[in-house]
Amino acid sequence: MVYRYKITMAYDGTDFYGFQRQPHKRTVEGTLTKIVNKMAKNPDPAIKVYGSGRTDAGVHALGQVAHFDFPFDIAEKNMLRGLNSMLPLDVQILKVEKVSSDFHARYDVSGKRYLYRMDMGEFRNPFKRRYTAQWRFPVDIDKINIALKDLIGEHDFTSFVASGSSARTNVRTIYEAKCHIDEKENELVFEFYGNGFLYNMVRIMVGVLVEIGSGSRDVHDIQRLYKVKDRTQARRTVPASGLYLKHVYYEGEDPEHPTKLPHHQR
Amino acid sequence: MVYRYKITMAYDGTDFYGFQRQPHKRTVEGTLTKIVNKMAKNPDPAIKVYGSGRTDAGVHALGQVAHFDFPFDIAEKNMLRGLNSMLPLDVQILKVEKVSSDFHARYDVSGKRYLYRMDMGEFRNPFKRRYTAQWRFPVDIDKINIALKDLIGEHDFTSFVASGSSARTNVRTIYEAKCHIDEKENELVFEFYGNGFLYNMVRIMVGVLVEIGSGSRDVHDIQRLYKVKDRTQARRTVPASGLYLKHVYYEGEDPEHPTKLPHHQR
């Protein structure tokens, strides 16, 4: 008898080689796996942790989700405390839920929401160097807002995917694409919600968007990029330090976009 | 001929062994001294950097001040850019001013303002672990506000000074002592402005204040601590990670408190 737990977590990605487990590297999944197994007194076979998907080295999470099967029936509250007391300070479990054994943190994803923060100061703010990227050029937010409309809907994002992607198709649907200037923080803040994002896709999109905002690309250049299907024309991949996985949506959670990505698109 | 520059800077204290230069340690003063000398092509004798005072290992600054004499007449703007381009990302020069040769970053200080941030979450927020301390117990802010009034004015802070202080007297004057709850950040935020602060004094005061707020000390315990002149009774020194040197005041800058600390008090 095992009990399935869904966990929602935040992490500072700075000191991790990304989410996904890798031999001899400090990863979030690796760290979690070690601790969950320790809590269960190292069962054989070992407990596996399944994340909603990977985040790259340096990318942060405000709401990454994972699941695992635990051999003991522990109250959610106690699992939350136990995990947080054993985890290093750069990972925090926000929520623990017991779920039925047919829930899957990866296969049941219906969408993801990302945030991207860009500091607009001339010099790097020492307190934000790990948590933002930087854009020093003047930006016309109206141009960015026009360009963001070109992202909405189903498109072939071949020009926006880094080499190394293992996706079966580069077609994805974006439901929301927003940008605002946080005056107090002097930041340009982007937010994207879609049914799935390709490898480095958000970081490549933001690179294109700030170039549009600063006038070095045509305001509708994204439409051209869809057509050319050529990653080299999108150029810039903005740094991981500005990117946050904000929320993972599961089937049925968002009534407007309840369906998960078809299997062949994952 | 030398030109005196006053610099105002912010730094993330996490990775520094404090402000003051120490052999074989990474300090802010040491880092600055190296860079200023490099910019001046390593003159002999070397340029010395004078800070407004030290901050301890892990303590942050939003407005630390220093001065140095430079052998070349460089425009303020260019000095700002030059320093920022050479400094590591955890130090940022905010302002450069040419000042007369009788300005002294340490001797002309008329007051200092400190901020202390305490996260009230049950678990550590991964993004704030370097920039706040943590207080997990319920707090009655009204009690803290009553206690803060006991801090205002001239007092003997012997109970609030860590061993190792080299001050000639423990008498200091506090002009402002405030506290509020930042609901959005779920933080308890303290602010203190006085003519000078002893070694660890803010961190010991905050420790007493949160204990008052959580009911483990009498609301007027500060008055008793003034009388007993016994550091061991203040107990707790809260962590460096929550402390920020916010502003250094110089003679005449604040019309209400224009005078510097008498020499024998420094």
Side-chain angles (χ1 to χ4, degrees), chain B residues 12-14 16 18 55-61 114-118 124 129-134 200 202-203 237-245:
Chain B
D12 174 348
T14 313
F16 287 108
T55 55
D56 287 335
V59 173
H60 312 295
Y114 282 95
L115 201 70
Y116 198 91
R117 292 172 56 186
M118 247 177 181
R124 294 294 273 160
R129 68 195 197 281
R130 295 184 174 95
Y131 306 117
T132 57
Q134 190 185 22
N200 276 357
V202 177
R203 291 164 59 188
T237 302
V238 293
S241 57
L243 185 60
Y244 295 75
L245 172 57

PDB file of all heavy atoms in Angstrom, chain B residues 12-14 16 18 55-61 114-118 124 129-134 200 202-203 237-245:
ATOM      1  N   ASP B  12      24.933  43.677  -1.109  1.00  0.00           N
ATOM      2  CA  ASP B  12      24.383  42.451  -0.549  1.00  0.00           C
ATOM      3  C   ASP B  12      25.481  41.893   0.339  1.00  0.00           C
ATOM      4  O   ASP B  12      26.522  41.450  -0.155  1.00  0.00           O
ATOM      5  CB  ASP B  12      24.061  41.500  -1.709  1.00  0.00           C
ATOM      6  CG  ASP B  12      23.610  40.130  -1.232  1.00  0.00           C
ATOM      7  OD1 ASP B  12      23.748  39.820  -0.031  1.00  0.00           O
ATOM      8  OD2 ASP B  12      23.122  39.367  -2.083  1.00  0.00           O
ATOM      9  N   GLY B  13      25.280  41.917   1.648  1.00  0.00           N
ATOM     10  CA  GLY B  13      26.343  41.544   2.572  1.00  0.00           C
ATOM     11  C   GLY B  13      26.598  40.048   2.691  1.00  0.00           C
ATOM     12  O   GLY B  13      27.581  39.639   3.322  1.00  0.00           O
ATOM     13  N   THR B  14      25.724  39.240   2.063  1.00  0.00           N
ATOM     14  CA  THR B  14      25.787  37.786   2.250  1.00  0.00           C
ATOM     15  C   THR B  14      27.184  37.192   2.070  1.00  0.00           C
ATOM     16  O   THR B  14      27.631  36.392   2.880  1.00  0.00           O
ATOM     17  CB  THR B  14      24.835  37.077   1.254  1.00  0.00           C
ATOM     18  OG1 THR B  14      23.578  37.725   1.276  1.00  0.00           O
ATOM     19  CG2 THR B  14      24.661  35.616   1.615  1.00  0.00           C
ATOM     20  N   PHE B  16      30.121  38.751   1.955  1.00  0.00           N
ATOM     21  CA  PHE B  16      31.246  39.546   2.461  1.00  0.00           C
ATOM     22  C   PHE B  16      31.474  39.275   3.944  1.00  0.00           C
ATOM     23  O   PHE B  16      30.520  39.081   4.697  1.00  0.00           O
ATOM     24  CB  PHE B  16      30.974  41.045   2.292  1.00  0.00           C
ATOM     25  CG  PHE B  16      31.072  41.524   0.870  1.00  0.00           C
ATOM     26  CD1 PHE B  16      29.922  41.866   0.165  1.00  0.00           C
ATOM     27  CD2 PHE B  16      32.295  41.639   0.250  1.00  0.00           C
ATOM     28  CE1 PHE B  16      30.005  42.307  -1.152  1.00  0.00           C
ATOM     29  CE2 PHE B  16      32.380  42.081  -1.064  1.00  0.00           C
ATOM     30  CZ  PHE B  16      31.238  42.414  -1.775  1.00  0.00           C
ATOM     31  N   GLY B  18      31.830  41.344   6.074  1.00  0.00           N
ATOM     32  CA  GLY B  18      31.615  42.698   6.586  1.00  0.00           C
ATOM     33  C   GLY B  18      32.251  43.764   5.708  1.00  0.00           C
ATOM     34  O   GLY B  18      32.819  43.481   4.649  1.00  0.00           O
ATOM     35  N   THR B  55      30.149  47.524   8.826  1.00  0.00           N
ATOM     36  CA  THR B  55      28.958  46.689   8.980  1.00  0.00           C
ATOM     37  C   THR B  55      29.498  45.273   9.130  1.00  0.00           C
ATOM     38  O   THR B  55      30.539  44.937   8.569  1.00  0.00           O
ATOM     39  CB  THR B  55      28.014  46.753   7.756  1.00  0.00           C
ATOM     40  OG1 THR B  55      28.743  46.423   6.564  1.00  0.00           O
ATOM     41  CG2 THR B  55      27.381  48.128   7.596  1.00  0.00           C
ATOM     42  N   ASP B  56      28.795  44.439   9.891  1.00  0.00           N
ATOM     43  CA  ASP B  56      29.272  43.087  10.160  1.00  0.00           C
ATOM     44  C   ASP B  56      29.065  42.147   8.984  1.00  0.00           C
ATOM     45  O   ASP B  56      28.323  42.451   8.054  1.00  0.00           O
ATOM     46  CB  ASP B  56      28.523  42.505  11.360  1.00  0.00           C
ATOM     47  CG  ASP B  56      28.981  43.158  12.647  1.00  0.00           C
ATOM     48  OD1 ASP B  56      30.118  43.646  12.689  1.00  0.00           O
ATOM     49  OD2 ASP B  56      28.173  43.190  13.601  1.00  0.00           O
ATOM     50  N   ALA B  57      29.675  41.004   9.080  1.00  0.00           N
ATOM     51  CA  ALA B  57      29.516  39.956   8.067  1.00  0.00           C
ATOM     52  C   ALA B  57      28.034  39.675   7.862  1.00  0.00           C
ATOM     53  O   ALA B  57      27.292  39.512   8.823  1.00  0.00           O
ATOM     54  CB  ALA B  57      30.228  38.689   8.522  1.00  0.00           C
ATOM     55  N   GLY B  58      27.596  39.678   6.614  1.00  0.00           N
ATOM     56  CA  GLY B  58      26.202  39.350   6.301  1.00  0.00           C
ATOM     57  C   GLY B  58      25.241  40.514   6.345  1.00  0.00           C
ATOM     58  O   GLY B  58      24.111  40.398   5.869  1.00  0.00           O
ATOM     59  N   VAL B  59      25.673  41.650   6.924  1.00  0.00           N
ATOM     60  CA  VAL B  59      24.787  42.821   6.998  1.00  0.00           C
ATOM     61  C   VAL B  59      24.798  43.532   5.641  1.00  0.00           C
ATOM     62  O   VAL B  59      25.839  43.659   4.998  1.00  0.00           O
ATOM     63  CB  VAL B  59      25.247  43.788   8.124  1.00  0.00           C
ATOM     64  CG1 VAL B  59      24.438  45.077   8.106  1.00  0.00           C
ATOM     65  CG2 VAL B  59      25.147  43.096   9.484  1.00  0.00           C
ATOM     66  N   HIS B  60      23.628  44.002   5.218  1.00  0.00           N
ATOM     67  CA  HIS B  60      23.489  44.652   3.926  1.00  0.00           C
ATOM     68  C   HIS B  60      23.560  46.170   4.045  1.00  0.00           C
ATOM     69  O   HIS B  60      23.436  46.720   5.128  1.00  0.00           O
ATOM     70  CB  HIS B  60      22.140  44.279   3.306  1.00  0.00           C
ATOM     71  CG  HIS B  60      21.851  42.826   3.355  1.00  0.00           C
ATOM     72  ND1 HIS B  60      22.604  41.913   2.662  1.00  0.00           N
ATOM     73  CD2 HIS B  60      20.913  42.114   4.032  1.00  0.00           C
ATOM     74  CE1 HIS B  60      22.128  40.698   2.902  1.00  0.00           C
ATOM     75  NE2 HIS B  60      21.103  40.799   3.730  1.00  0.00           N
ATOM     76  N   ALA B  61      23.708  46.832   2.910  1.00  0.00           N
ATOM     77  CA  ALA B  61      23.653  48.300   2.898  1.00  0.00           C
ATOM     78  C   ALA B  61      22.811  48.781   1.736  1.00  0.00           C
ATOM     79  O   ALA B  61      22.898  48.250   0.624  1.00  0.00           O
ATOM     80  CB  ALA B  61      25.055  48.884   2.807  1.00  0.00           C
ATOM     81  N   TYR B 114      18.990  52.538  10.206  1.00  0.00           N
ATOM     82  CA  TYR B 114      19.013  51.101   9.924  1.00  0.00           C
ATOM     83  C   TYR B 114      17.604  50.566   9.729  1.00  0.00           C
ATOM     84  O   TYR B 114      16.639  51.070  10.311  1.00  0.00           O
ATOM     85  CB  TYR B 114      19.646  50.337  11.089  1.00  0.00           C
ATOM     86  CG  TYR B 114      21.138  50.411  11.129  1.00  0.00           C
ATOM     87  CD1 TYR B 114      21.780  51.363  11.909  1.00  0.00           C
ATOM     88  CD2 TYR B 114      21.913  49.525  10.402  1.00  0.00           C
ATOM     89  CE1 TYR B 114      23.168  51.429  11.965  1.00  0.00           C
ATOM     90  CE2 TYR B 114      23.299  49.577  10.448  1.00  0.00           C
ATOM     91  CZ  TYR B 114      23.925  50.529  11.232  1.00  0.00           C
ATOM     92  OH  TYR B 114      25.284  50.585  11.278  1.00  0.00           O
ATOM     93  N   LEU B 115      17.539  49.519   8.933  1.00  0.00           N
ATOM     94  CA  LEU B 115      16.287  48.819   8.677  1.00  0.00           C
ATOM     95  C   LEU B 115      16.504  47.375   9.119  1.00  0.00           C
ATOM     96  O   LEU B 115      17.597  46.830   8.950  1.00  0.00           O
ATOM     97  CB  LEU B 115      16.074  48.842   7.160  1.00  0.00           C
ATOM     98  CG  LEU B 115      14.706  48.647   6.568  1.00  0.00           C
ATOM     99  CD1 LEU B 115      13.847  49.870   6.876  1.00  0.00           C
ATOM    100  CD2 LEU B 115      14.843  48.526   5.034  1.00  0.00           C
ATOM    101  N   TYR B 116      15.453  46.778   9.671  1.00  0.00           N
ATOM    102  CA  TYR B 116      15.554  45.356   9.998  1.00  0.00           C
ATOM    103  C   TYR B 116      14.301  44.631   9.525  1.00  0.00           C
ATOM    104  O   TYR B 116      13.190  45.003   9.889  1.00  0.00           O
ATOM    105  CB  TYR B 116      15.777  45.116  11.499  1.00  0.00           C
ATOM    106  CG  TYR B 116      16.301  43.732  11.728  1.00  0.00           C
ATOM    107  CD1 TYR B 116      17.662  43.487  11.753  1.00  0.00           C
ATOM    108  CD2 TYR B 116      15.435  42.649  11.840  1.00  0.00           C
ATOM    109  CE1 TYR B 116      18.153  42.202  11.895  1.00  0.00           C
ATOM    110  CE2 TYR B 116      15.921  41.361  11.972  1.00  0.00           C
ATOM    111  CZ  TYR B 116      17.280  41.142  12.002  1.00  0.00           C
ATOM    112  OH  TYR B 116      17.771  39.868  12.113  1.00  0.00           O
ATOM    113  N   ARG B 117      14.465  43.613   8.688  1.00  0.00           N
ATOM    114  CA  ARG B 117      13.329  42.890   8.095  1.00  0.00           C
ATOM    115  C   ARG B 117      13.217  41.483   8.658  1.00  0.00           C
ATOM    116  O   ARG B 117      14.163  40.703   8.589  1.00  0.00           O
ATOM    117  CB  ARG B 117      13.511  42.794   6.578  1.00  0.00           C
ATOM    118  CG  ARG B 117      13.402  44.115   5.851  1.00  0.00           C
ATOM    119  CD  ARG B 117      13.791  43.965   4.390  1.00  0.00           C
ATOM    120  NE  ARG B 117      13.003  42.949   3.705  1.00  0.00           N
ATOM    121  CZ  ARG B 117      13.211  42.543   2.446  1.00  0.00           C
ATOM    122  NH1 ARG B 117      14.195  43.080   1.730  1.00  0.00           N
ATOM    123  NH2 ARG B 117      12.458  41.618   1.900  1.00  0.00           N
ATOM    124  N   MET B 118      12.037  41.157   9.159  1.00  0.00           N
ATOM    125  CA  MET B 118      11.788  39.840   9.705  1.00  0.00           C
ATOM    126  C   MET B 118      10.616  39.182   9.008  1.00  0.00           C
ATOM    127  O   MET B 118       9.493  39.680   9.063  1.00  0.00           O
ATOM    128  CB  MET B 118      11.467  39.979  11.174  1.00  0.00           C
ATOM    129  CG  MET B 118      12.572  39.368  11.958  1.00  0.00           C
ATOM    130  SD  MET B 118      12.340  39.565  13.688  1.00  0.00           S
ATOM    131  CE  MET B 118      13.837  38.763  14.224  1.00  0.00           C
ATOM    132  N   ARG B 124      10.860  29.198   5.770  1.00  0.00           N
ATOM    133  CA  ARG B 124      11.695  30.189   5.098  1.00  0.00           C
ATOM    134  C   ARG B 124      11.295  30.326   3.638  1.00  0.00           C
ATOM    135  O   ARG B 124      11.158  29.348   2.917  1.00  0.00           O
ATOM    136  CB  ARG B 124      13.173  29.772   5.151  1.00  0.00           C
ATOM    137  CG  ARG B 124      13.754  29.760   6.540  1.00  0.00           C
ATOM    138  CD  ARG B 124      13.814  31.139   7.139  1.00  0.00           C
ATOM    139  NE  ARG B 124      15.023  31.842   6.791  1.00  0.00           N
ATOM    140  CZ  ARG B 124      15.139  33.156   6.867  1.00  0.00           C
ATOM    141  NH1 ARG B 124      14.116  33.901   7.244  1.00  0.00           N
ATOM    142  NH2 ARG B 124      16.263  33.756   6.563  1.00  0.00           N
ATOM    143  N   ARG B 129      15.700  34.274   1.966  1.00  0.00           N
ATOM    144  CA  ARG B 129      16.510  33.715   3.043  1.00  0.00           C
ATOM    145  C   ARG B 129      17.775  34.519   3.294  1.00  0.00           C
ATOM    146  O   ARG B 129      18.282  34.537   4.410  1.00  0.00           O
ATOM    147  CB  ARG B 129      16.845  32.253   2.756  1.00  0.00           C
ATOM    148  CG  ARG B 129      17.792  32.038   1.585  1.00  0.00           C
ATOM    149  CD  ARG B 129      17.758  30.586   1.158  1.00  0.00           C
ATOM    150  NE  ARG B 129      18.902  30.230   0.329  1.00  0.00           N
ATOM    151  CZ  ARG B 129      19.003  30.527  -0.970  1.00  0.00           C
ATOM    152  NH1 ARG B 129      18.053  31.211  -1.588  1.00  0.00           N
ATOM    153  NH2 ARG B 129      20.076  30.148  -1.661  1.00  0.00           N
ATOM    154  N   ARG B 130      18.292  35.175   2.277  1.00  0.00           N
ATOM    155  CA  ARG B 130      19.493  35.990   2.467  1.00  0.00           C
ATOM    156  C   ARG B 130      19.165  37.414   2.905  1.00  0.00           C
ATOM    157  O   ARG B 130      20.049  38.163   3.275  1.00  0.00           O
ATOM    158  CB  ARG B 130      20.271  36.099   1.146  1.00  0.00           C
ATOM    159  CG  ARG B 130      20.839  34.806   0.629  1.00  0.00           C
ATOM    160  CD  ARG B 130      21.662  35.102  -0.614  1.00  0.00           C
ATOM    161  NE  ARG B 130      22.368  33.947  -1.117  1.00  0.00           N
ATOM    162  CZ  ARG B 130      21.905  33.155  -2.068  1.00  0.00           C
ATOM    163  NH1 ARG B 130      20.747  33.387  -2.634  1.00  0.00           N
ATOM    164  NH2 ARG B 130      22.629  32.115  -2.467  1.00  0.00           N
ATOM    165  N   TYR B 131      17.887  37.809   2.799  1.00  0.00           N
ATOM    166  CA  TYR B 131      17.550  39.228   2.941  1.00  0.00           C
ATOM    167  C   TYR B 131      16.601  39.552   4.079  1.00  0.00           C
ATOM    168  O   TYR B 131      16.174  40.699   4.228  1.00  0.00           O
ATOM    169  CB  TYR B 131      17.001  39.752   1.601  1.00  0.00           C
ATOM    170  CG  TYR B 131      17.955  39.462   0.471  1.00  0.00           C
ATOM    171  CD1 TYR B 131      17.603  38.625  -0.583  1.00  0.00           C
ATOM    172  CD2 TYR B 131      19.235  39.983   0.494  1.00  0.00           C
ATOM    173  CE1 TYR B 131      18.499  38.320  -1.595  1.00  0.00           C
ATOM    174  CE2 TYR B 131      20.151  39.688  -0.503  1.00  0.00           C
ATOM    175  CZ  TYR B 131      19.775  38.851  -1.541  1.00  0.00           C
ATOM    176  OH  TYR B 131      20.679  38.552  -2.523  1.00  0.00           O
ATOM    177  N   THR B 132      16.254  38.547   4.853  1.00  0.00           N
ATOM    178  CA  THR B 132      15.421  38.763   6.030  1.00  0.00           C
ATOM    179  C   THR B 132      15.911  37.806   7.118  1.00  0.00           C
ATOM    180  O   THR B 132      16.646  36.865   6.840  1.00  0.00           O
ATOM    181  CB  THR B 132      13.938  38.411   5.756  1.00  0.00           C
ATOM    182  OG1 THR B 132      13.859  37.048   5.318  1.00  0.00           O
ATOM    183  CG2 THR B 132      13.312  39.319   4.710  1.00  0.00           C
ATOM    184  N   ALA B 133      15.456  38.078   8.341  1.00  0.00           N
ATOM    185  CA  ALA B 133      15.543  37.057   9.387  1.00  0.00           C
ATOM    186  C   ALA B 133      14.153  36.454   9.455  1.00  0.00           C
ATOM    187  O   ALA B 133      13.292  36.771   8.631  1.00  0.00           O
ATOM    188  CB  ALA B 133      15.942  37.695  10.698  1.00  0.00           C
ATOM    189  N   GLN B 134      13.902  35.600  10.422  1.00  0.00           N
ATOM    190  CA  GLN B 134      12.601  34.955  10.516  1.00  0.00           C
ATOM    191  C   GLN B 134      12.114  34.997  11.956  1.00  0.00           C
ATOM    192  O   GLN B 134      12.899  34.824  12.896  1.00  0.00           O
ATOM    193  CB  GLN B 134      12.727  33.498  10.061  1.00  0.00           C
ATOM    194  CG  GLN B 134      11.373  32.803   9.880  1.00  0.00           C
ATOM    195  CD  GLN B 134      11.537  31.340   9.548  1.00  0.00           C
ATOM    196  OE1 GLN B 134      12.570  30.755   9.841  1.00  0.00           O
ATOM    197  NE2 GLN B 134      10.523  30.745   8.965  1.00  0.00           N
ATOM    198  N   ASN B 200      26.577  45.484  17.217  1.00  0.00           N
ATOM    199  CA  ASN B 200      25.418  44.573  17.295  1.00  0.00           C
ATOM    200  C   ASN B 200      24.172  45.176  17.951  1.00  0.00           C
ATOM    201  O   ASN B 200      23.200  44.459  18.216  1.00  0.00           O
ATOM    202  CB  ASN B 200      25.763  43.275  18.048  1.00  0.00           C
ATOM    203  CG  ASN B 200      26.410  42.254  17.131  1.00  0.00           C
ATOM    204  OD1 ASN B 200      26.547  42.501  15.931  1.00  0.00           O
ATOM    205  ND2 ASN B 200      26.803  41.119  17.670  1.00  0.00           N
ATOM    206  N   VAL B 202      21.645  47.149  17.040  1.00  0.00           N
ATOM    207  CA  VAL B 202      20.332  47.025  16.389  1.00  0.00           C
ATOM    208  C   VAL B 202      19.838  45.581  16.482  1.00  0.00           C
ATOM    209  O   VAL B 202      18.674  45.321  16.793  1.00  0.00           O
ATOM    210  CB  VAL B 202      20.389  47.482  14.912  1.00  0.00           C
ATOM    211  CG1 VAL B 202      19.038  47.273  14.234  1.00  0.00           C
ATOM    212  CG2 VAL B 202      20.795  48.954  14.823  1.00  0.00           C
ATOM    213  N   ARG B 203      20.732  44.647  16.256  1.00  0.00           N
ATOM    214  CA  ARG B 203      20.334  43.236  16.272  1.00  0.00           C
ATOM    215  C   ARG B 203      19.927  42.778  17.676  1.00  0.00           C
ATOM    216  O   ARG B 203      19.079  41.908  17.829  1.00  0.00           O
ATOM    217  CB  ARG B 203      21.451  42.374  15.703  1.00  0.00           C
ATOM    218  CG  ARG B 203      21.635  42.611  14.196  1.00  0.00           C
ATOM    219  CD  ARG B 203      22.944  42.082  13.667  1.00  0.00           C
ATOM    220  NE  ARG B 203      23.082  40.664  13.902  1.00  0.00           N
ATOM    221  CZ  ARG B 203      24.206  39.984  13.664  1.00  0.00           C
ATOM    222  NH1 ARG B 203      25.276  40.624  13.178  1.00  0.00           N
ATOM    223  NH2 ARG B 203      24.269  38.701  13.889  1.00  0.00           N
ATOM    224  N   THR B 237      20.710  37.725  19.784  1.00  0.00           N
ATOM    225  CA  THR B 237      21.152  38.648  18.740  1.00  0.00           C
ATOM    226  C   THR B 237      20.554  38.129  17.438  1.00  0.00           C
ATOM    227  O   THR B 237      20.897  37.036  16.998  1.00  0.00           O
ATOM    228  CB  THR B 237      22.693  38.668  18.612  1.00  0.00           C
ATOM    229  OG1 THR B 237      23.235  39.037  19.877  1.00  0.00           O
ATOM    230  CG2 THR B 237      23.145  39.682  17.569  1.00  0.00           C
ATOM    231  N   VAL B 238      19.635  38.872  16.851  1.00  0.00           N
ATOM    232  CA  VAL B 238      18.970  38.373  15.639  1.00  0.00           C
ATOM    233  C   VAL B 238      19.959  38.382  14.462  1.00  0.00           C
ATOM    234  O   VAL B 238      20.947  39.127  14.468  1.00  0.00           O
ATOM    235  CB  VAL B 238      17.670  39.162  15.350  1.00  0.00           C
ATOM    236  CG1 VAL B 238      16.628  38.885  16.425  1.00  0.00           C
ATOM    237  CG2 VAL B 238      17.924  40.651  15.224  1.00  0.00           C
ATOM    238  N   PRO B 239      19.723  37.564  13.439  1.00  0.00           N
ATOM    239  CA  PRO B 239      20.724  37.358  12.377  1.00  0.00           C
ATOM    240  C   PRO B 239      21.048  38.603  11.545  1.00  0.00           C
ATOM    241  O   PRO B 239      20.219  39.496  11.369  1.00  0.00           O
ATOM    242  CB  PRO B 239      20.076  36.295  11.488  1.00  0.00           C
ATOM    243  CG  PRO B 239      19.052  35.629  12.323  1.00  0.00           C
ATOM    244  CD  PRO B 239      18.565  36.675  13.279  1.00  0.00           C
ATOM    245  N   ALA B 240      22.268  38.602  11.030  1.00  0.00           N
ATOM    246  CA  ALA B 240      22.737  39.692  10.176  1.00  0.00           C
ATOM    247  C   ALA B 240      21.895  39.824   8.901  1.00  0.00           C
ATOM    248  O   ALA B 240      21.725  40.934   8.383  1.00  0.00           O
ATOM    249  CB  ALA B 240      24.194  39.442   9.797  1.00  0.00           C
ATOM    250  N   SER B 241      21.360  38.725   8.413  1.00  0.00           N
ATOM    251  CA  SER B 241      20.658  38.731   7.115  1.00  0.00           C
ATOM    252  C   SER B 241      19.478  39.698   7.047  1.00  0.00           C
ATOM    253  O   SER B 241      19.073  40.099   5.965  1.00  0.00           O
ATOM    254  CB  SER B 241      20.173  37.323   6.776  1.00  0.00           C
ATOM    255  OG  SER B 241      19.342  36.826   7.822  1.00  0.00           O
ATOM    256  N   GLY B 242      18.903  40.104   8.197  1.00  0.00           N
ATOM    257  CA  GLY B 242      17.764  41.021   8.190  1.00  0.00           C
ATOM    258  C   GLY B 242      18.149  42.483   8.275  1.00  0.00           C
ATOM    259  O   GLY B 242      17.288  43.358   8.146  1.00  0.00           O
ATOM    260  N   LEU B 243      19.436  42.758   8.495  1.00  0.00           N
ATOM    261  CA  LEU B 243      19.866  44.134   8.807  1.00  0.00           C
ATOM    262  C   LEU B 243      20.409  44.892   7.588  1.00  0.00           C
ATOM    263  O   LEU B 243      21.213  44.350   6.827  1.00  0.00           O
ATOM    264  CB  LEU B 243      20.934  44.089   9.910  1.00  0.00           C
ATOM    265  CG  LEU B 243      21.431  45.433  10.457  1.00  0.00           C
ATOM    266  CD1 LEU B 243      20.305  46.260  11.076  1.00  0.00           C
ATOM    267  CD2 LEU B 243      22.544  45.219  11.478  1.00  0.00           C
ATOM    268  N   TYR B 244      19.944  46.142   7.455  1.00  0.00           N
ATOM    269  CA  TYR B 244      20.375  47.003   6.352  1.00  0.00           C
ATOM    270  C   TYR B 244      20.798  48.357   6.903  1.00  0.00           C
ATOM    271  O   TYR B 244      20.017  48.992   7.630  1.00  0.00           O
ATOM    272  CB  TYR B 244      19.203  47.272   5.384  1.00  0.00           C
ATOM    273  CG  TYR B 244      18.697  46.053   4.668  1.00  0.00           C
ATOM    274  CD1 TYR B 244      17.916  45.110   5.336  1.00  0.00           C
ATOM    275  CD2 TYR B 244      19.003  45.834   3.323  1.00  0.00           C
ATOM    276  CE1 TYR B 244      17.463  43.980   4.682  1.00  0.00           C
ATOM    277  CE2 TYR B 244      18.535  44.709   2.667  1.00  0.00           C
ATOM    278  CZ  TYR B 244      17.771  43.784   3.348  1.00  0.00           C
ATOM    279  OH  TYR B 244      17.310  42.666   2.700  1.00  0.00           O
ATOM    280  N   LEU B 245      21.981  48.812   6.546  1.00  0.00           N
ATOM    281  CA  LEU B 245      22.368  50.202   6.794  1.00  0.00           C
ATOM    282  C   LEU B 245      21.690  51.008   5.692  1.00  0.00           C
ATOM    283  O   LEU B 245      22.065  50.910   4.521  1.00  0.00           O
ATOM    284  CB  LEU B 245      23.893  50.363   6.748  1.00  0.00           C
ATOM    285  CG  LEU B 245      24.415  51.799   6.801  1.00  0.00           C
ATOM    286  CD1 LEU B 245      23.929  52.542   8.044  1.00  0.00           C
ATOM    287  CD2 LEU B 245      25.950  51.812   6.754  1.00  0.00           C
TER     288      LEU B 245
END
